[in-house]
Structure formats: C-alpha cells, structure tokens
Amino acid sequence: MSEDNKKNKRREFLRDSARTAIGVTLGALGGLLLGRSQKEETVWQIDPDLCTQCERCADFCVIKPSAVKCIHAYDVCGFCELCGGYHQPDAHELDTAAENQLCPTGAIKRTYIEDPYYEYTIIEEKCIGCAICVKGCGAFGNGSFYLQIRHDRCLDCNECTIAAACPSGAIKRVPANTPYMLRGKLGNS
Amino acid sequence: MRQINKMIKILILFTAALIMTTSMMAQDRFPRPEFETEYVRPLTTTPQPQAGTWAIIDVASMILALSLASYIALKTRSRRQMFILMTACLLYFGFIREGCICSVGSLQNIVLALFNNSTFLPWTVAAFFIIPLIFTLFFGRTFCAAVCPLGAAQDIVSVKHTKIPTWAGRVLGLIPYIYLGFAVLFAATGSAFIICKYDPFVTIFRFSGRFSMVMLATAFVLVSIFINRPYCRFFCPYGVLLSWMSRLARRHVTVTPDDCIQCRLCEDACPVDAINFPLPEKAPETRAKGLKRLGRLLLILPAAAILGGFLFSSMNGILSQVHPKVRLEKRLQAEETGRVTGTTLETRTFRTMGISRELLKAEVAVIVKQYRIGGWLLGIFLGLSFVIQLIGLSLKRTRADYEPDRANCISCARCFQSCPKERERLKANEMESI
C-alpha cells in the first residue's frame, strides 16, 4: 500500500468516526429536545389585569398591524351613551362624528340599540392595538375593552418582541388550550 | 406556631378579598343593562392558535425540500432544477410562512430550552434545527443551496459574482463566529434573540418592519446583486454549524462528474469563492521545524482561549445590559442618585407595580453572574475558533485537483456547467435518451 493511500485511508477513517460521533450527538440532542417539547404547549397572551395601556403593543409586534387587538367583553359593558372608550373626553356631541371619537383609526362601531343603550363593536381589521380605548374604558367605564393577542394573527415568535418591550410584564405564556385571558362570563367559565 | 400559621392564612385571605373587591369595583361603575328589545349580546370571538395545523406541513416540506436539493446537487446536477426548487422554498418558507420558524433562528430557541428548564420548545423548532444539520452531515450544505429562504432571497437577485480577495474573505468569515457566540450568550441568558431581531429578510417576507431593518434589507439585497449571498457568507451564525457538518459530509458535490483534467475552466465559476485550486507538493519540513511549529501553536491555543475568556467575562457589566431587567435596574439607580432627570416608561411602570427593589436587585445579580460565566465560555469559544482558523491557514496541504471547499461550498450547482467533462456527460445522456 502506498504512502498516499494509507494517508487517505486514515483520513477517511477519522472522518467516518467523527461523523458517527456527531450523528449520535445530534440524535441525543434531538431526544433531549423532544423531551422538552413534551411539556404543556404554551402561547403568548396579555394579562389584562397587568396591562398598563402604554401603547407599545401597536408598535413592537413583528407584524404590522399588530397581532394585539382590543376585544370587547359585551357582558361587562354598560352600553352607555357616553362611552369612555369611544368618545373624546371633551366631545361636543355624543355621536359618531370623527372629531368626537377616541380611536385613531376609527375601529369602533357604535350602534343604537334602544334608549339609552348603544352597542360598541371593534372592527378588528382597523384596530392597531394601541389601547387608547382600553385606557378610556378602564378609567371611566366598566373595563369591558381590553387587549388580547389574537391567535389567528400571532406568529408565536419564540421571543415575542412586544413581550420584551412590555414594561409591566403583562405578556406571558399561557396554556395553548386556554389561549385567552378573558373578562366577563367567558373568563369565569 | 400553628396559631401563627393560621394568622398568616387569614391575613392572606383578607388581602386577597380586598384586592378582588377593588378590581371588581373598577369593572362595576355602570350596571349591565336589561334590554327590552330582542337584542342579544354578541359573544367575544376567540380564534385558536394555528401552530398545530402548520407544524406537520412545515416539517414535511422541509424534509421533502432537503431531499430534493440533495438529489439535485448530487445526482441530476442541474442548476435550473436547483433554481426552481429555491424559488419554491422562497415562496413557501419565506412569503407564505413569513420566515418563521426558520432554521437560522431556531438555534436560539434550542439554546434557551437547554439553559432554561421551564421554556416550552415546540417540536417543529427542534426539527427545523436538527434536520438540516443531519442532511448536511450526509450530503453537504444543500440546505443553503435551495431550502433556506434567507439564502434564496439573496441568490435570486444575484447577477454578478464579484470575487472577494482571499484575505478579506477569511477576515469577514470570522464575523459569523462572533455572531454565533453572542447569539448563544444572549439566548442562554434569556436576554434577547438577536438573530431574529436583526434578520433583514423577514421585513421583505412580511412587507413590514422597523425603518432601520427595511434599510438594512434594502442594503443586503442591493449588495447581493453584485456579491453573491453576503449574509450567508459573512453573517449567518447557523452557517457556522453547517460548515462544521459539511466538512464531515459523507457525500459532497464535486465540480467534475469524472476525473479532473485541470483545464482551469471552473476557476471563476463559483459565486462564493469556494473552489480550492490545486496546490503543488512542497518539500516536507524537517522534523525539528515541524515540532517547533506544533509547540508554538499548542501554546497559542490555550493562551488565546484564556485571553478571550478574561476579556469577555470582565465585560459582563456592559454585556449584561442587553437584558431588560439589568437595564431597568441601572436606570432606577441613575434616577435615584439624580444622575439623570426624568423617568422612563419602564421605571414609571416598575414603581406603580409595587415589586420590591430587593427582588429586582437579586434577580439582576444572578443575571450579571450568568454573564460572567457566559463571558468566559464566549471568550474561550472565540479565542479557540480564531486560532484554529489560523492553524488551518498555516497547514501545508497538497491538492491535485479543483475541488469545492467543503466548509464554504453551498452546493448551488453553478460550477458544474463550466466543466467540459460535465458537458460531455450531459451530451452522452442526451444521446442515450434519443
């Protein structure tokens, strides 16, 4: 056997053994990681009681507009004519005129139901998750508006950039089979 | 003792009741109306997470794409097929799935899950991390060739392959090691996922992003027109791992399907400068000289490791500020001592939340300590990888033929066409089919 051939054989042997070793390591790592993934699956969600309505949810989500939207607990709502989440604090008239609305994108629909009650509905396509209405509703109303991460939009980024930006730590992992932290009857059940 | 316990329990119950009533009060300013009309309150919709349905499709497409890419690189050797596959993967993993999850970023999730016991790791993320590594261990970096959407986003606009001087390529090639080291450090300490945060291509896939990232993405795409795959070659941290696997690959693409005839036609064919030229055999060193060199290198190796470790561990004060809690604590201190005026949203919120400062201080101390240990490991890793690269340069190798560099070759299938032997093979195939 020539010198060159011998060298090649040795190199091949070393390469084969290194490959086998790394293959086994990767397999072990895979097993270990699969073990980790057996834990209860979790997703991101906002705890409405910890939320301080800092408006960062509108800007920090990796998708635009944000995966965070305002949602409405109808069974908590007072259906008021003057709505702290809908009207500007110094609104001239309690109507649907744009200058009287709080929402910067006009994402809340106000519908007359019966005297003196009005229904407020979030138009999700327009909502940017800025929480301005949430702040108003929490300050003057029943707190039926609150922010939630919508799971039809959330990419479940493994490090949520809004979670990292949240100053009050309100964005946390919750079990995937109960992916919302709801208010009202839905939340209690 | 028992009485004290009872007292504490009562106290806890009492405060809990107090908190509950206050929060109830906040929600009960107005009574819920009872409607006289037929009006029924709508229900709040709760769309469910979709991760589960996509997971299987994602992993299956990943395996299928990798198998196809490896088959094309090693068997059919067709750039056209590779290009079509690459475009399909760019569309699916890039634009349809919006670049998440990707193998490059999955690295950080793996690190976080390994260092932090409580994190949940989706099995898809583990699969996206490991499957490309295994394929590379067998077939070379076929993942880079067609499957990775980040690579495809650059390759698809590539027009001109500017050659980068060897020395510049080597120096720039060290950046991925630094990027990998820091990404692992920041992920392990739960501070930040820098690979995702500074990934320029997701802004293209999602048609949205911060202004600075859009500018970065534009810059990368513009550079990609003239220099093939700048991100893959000079930044990609996952590429470091792939290059290690590819060195050991069981099978790897070759420029020629046959014996190399040294015609030099492939010299300029590689867009990433990964074709090694033949090196003439040199006179062997004397034994004494070789021993001396070996001794020197063996001395440098631990010295570089210790120096690097010392350097980065002593920088833990600065590095740890990537962690938001450390930043918060620093800012709070600065505000208290009057070194800065005004407050930030973070400090204001912290004060309203009523968490004790001692608790935060203790947490910060733990994080800073983690950074000291992490700094040592990072420094040792960087010191070792730099010196090992140097050793690689000083090794005297002989090479008879034109061969792809196993570490840097991304199996893009461009060089095959330049080989006259390949053209012969294609012609023979054609004749056969007729």
Side-chain angles (χ1 to χ4, degrees), chain A residues 160-175:
Chain A
C160 171
T161 52
I162 13 169
C166 178
S168 61
I171 304 183
K172 37 193 177 187
R173 304 289 296 189
V174 300

Side-chain angles (χ1 to χ4, degrees), chain A residues 139-167:
Chain A
F140 305 111
N142 283 355
S144 58
F145 281 155
Y146 58 107
L147 291 186
Q148 287 287 280
I149 292 174
R150 302 300 275 170
H151 289 292
D152 50 343
R153 296 182 55 78
C154 177
L155 297 174
D156 199 27
C157 292
N158 299 284
E159 203 213 32
C160 171
T161 52
I162 13 169
C166 178

Side-chain angles (χ1 to χ4, degrees), chain B residues 10 47 60 104 106 117 123 151 172 204 216 229 269 277 289 324 386 407:
Chain B
I10 290 170
V104 182
S106 71
N117 228 333
W123 68 273
L172 290 172
I204 301 174
L216 193 66
R229 295 179 177 245
F277 296 180
K289 211 175 157 193
F386 283 20

Side-chain angles (χ1 to χ4, degrees), chain A residues 19 22 30 36-37 39 41 56 72 74-75 79 114 117 119 138 140-142 150 158-159 168 180 183, chain B residues 27 29-30 32-33 36-37 39 42 44-45 47 109 113 117 120-121 130 192-193 248 250 345-346 353:
Chain A
R19 189 184 322 113
I22 289 187
R36 288 282 149 87
S37 68
K39 278 187 201 151
E41 196 178 335
R56 279 195 182 166
H72 196 191
Y74 292 95
D75 53 344
F79 290 78
E114 62 181 60
Y117 298 129
E119 182 197 73
F140 305 111
N142 283 355
R150 302 300 275 170
N158 299 284
E159 203 213 32
S168 61
Y180 291 90
R183 281 191 168 158
Chain B
Q27 292 189 12
R29 286 202 189 88
F30 302 100
R32 319 286 193 274
E36 282 157 19
T37 51
Y39 175 75
T44 312
T45 58
N109 300 92
N117 228 333
F120 162 73
L121 184 78
I130 286 186
F193 276 22
L248 301 168
R250 192 180 172 82
L345 178 62
E346 277 82 8
M353 290 195 4

Side-chain angles (χ1 to χ4, degrees), chain B residues 71-354:
Chain B
Y71 184 75
I72 293 169
L74 294 166
K75 279 276 182 246
T76 68
R77 295 167 58 89
S78 155
R79 172 67 197 160
R80 216 170 65 96
Q81 289 170 8
M82 196 64 103
F83 189 83
I84 293 167
L85 178 65
M86 185 182 84
T87 314
C89 287
L90 176 65
L91 285 178
Y92 180 72
F93 292 114
F95 289 100
I96 296 176
R97 302 293 292 126
E98 303 196 326
C100 201
I101 175 73
C102 83
S103 300
V104 182
S106 71
L107 159 73
Q108 304 164 107
N109 300 92
I110 305 297
V111 171
L112 184 67
L114 287 178
F115 281 86
N116 186 342
N117 228 333
S118 62
T119 33
F120 162 73
L121 184 78
W123 68 273
T124 29
V125 179
F128 264 59
F129 177 72
I130 286 186
I131 293 169
L133 291 179
I134 291 173
F135 265 84
T136 310
L137 202 53
F138 282 93
F139 307 116
R141 295 171 64 170
T142 49
F143 170 75
C144 304
V147 187
C148 177
L150 310 188
Q154 301 161 77
D155 210 335
I156 208 157
V157 296
S158 172
V159 176
K160 194 172 151 39
H161 309 148
T162 312
K163 251 193 162 27
I164 289 180
T166 316
W167 65 268
R170 295 271 180 186
V171 174
L172 290 172
L174 291 176
I175 299 174
Y177 284 84
I178 302 172
Y179 201 178
L180 173 68
F182 277 98
V184 169
L185 177 68
F186 293 143
T189 52
S191 310
F193 276 22
I194 54 170
I195 302 176
C196 300
K197 202 169 173 186
Y198 299 107
D199 177 351
F201 303 105
V202 284
T203 56
I204 301 174
F205 300 150
R206 294 172 189 158
F207 298 112
S208 74
R210 284 173 291 147
F211 178 72
S212 52
M213 290 326 284
V214 174
M215 294 315 284
L216 193 66
T218 318
F220 264 110
V221 170
L222 286 180
V223 173
S224 302
I225 298 175
F226 305 104
I227 298 172
N228 189 262
R229 295 179 177 245
Y231 187 85
C232 307
R233 291 155 76 191
F234 309 129
F235 294 97
C236 182
Y238 191 61
V240 173
L241 304 183
L242 289 172
S243 76
W244 292 345
M245 299 298 135
S246 185
R247 270 176 216 277
L248 301 168
R250 192 180 172 82
R251 298 193 52 193
H252 193 280
V253 291
T254 50
V255 181
T256 173
D258 208 338
D259 284 330
C260 177
I261 51 170
Q262 319 236 335
C263 64
R264 303 182 54 191
L265 284 172
C266 62
E267 269 184 2
D268 291 323
C270 182
V272 295
D273 306 331
I275 293 181
N276 286 331
F277 296 180
L279 290 172
E281 193 143 3
K282 282 182 193 141
E285 296 180 287
T286 59
R287 195 180 160 75
K289 211 175 157 193
L291 273 177
K292 217 172 173 183
R293 206 158 56 92
L294 183 70
R296 260 206 312 271
L297 290 174
L298 284 182
L299 267 177
I300 291 181
L301 212 59
I306 290 168
L307 186 76
F310 180 74
L311 188 75
F312 285 108
S313 68
S314 54
M315 275 163 64
N316 66 340
I318 304 166
L319 290 178
S320 61
Q321 284 185 41
V322 174
H323 200 292
K325 276 192 179 148
V326 181
R327 272 205 307 277
L328 171 67
E329 167 62 26
K330 209 175 158 68
R331 174 78 198 186
L332 282 169
Q333 259 175 27
E335 283 176 16
E336 280 158 16
T337 53
R339 267 185 292 129
V340 288
T341 48
T343 53
T344 63
L345 178 62
E346 277 82 8
T347 56
R348 279 196 301 279
T349 312
F350 178 80
R351 293 204 179 93
T352 57
M353 290 195 4

Side-chain angles (χ1 to χ4, degrees), chain A residues 55-64 66 128-129 161-162, chain B residues 210:
Chain A
E55 304 185 18
R56 279 195 182 166
C57 283
D59 298 326
F60 279 78
C61 182
V62 296
I63 52 172
K64 299 273 171 318
S66 176
I128 55 167
T161 52
I162 13 169
Chain B
R210 284 173 291 147

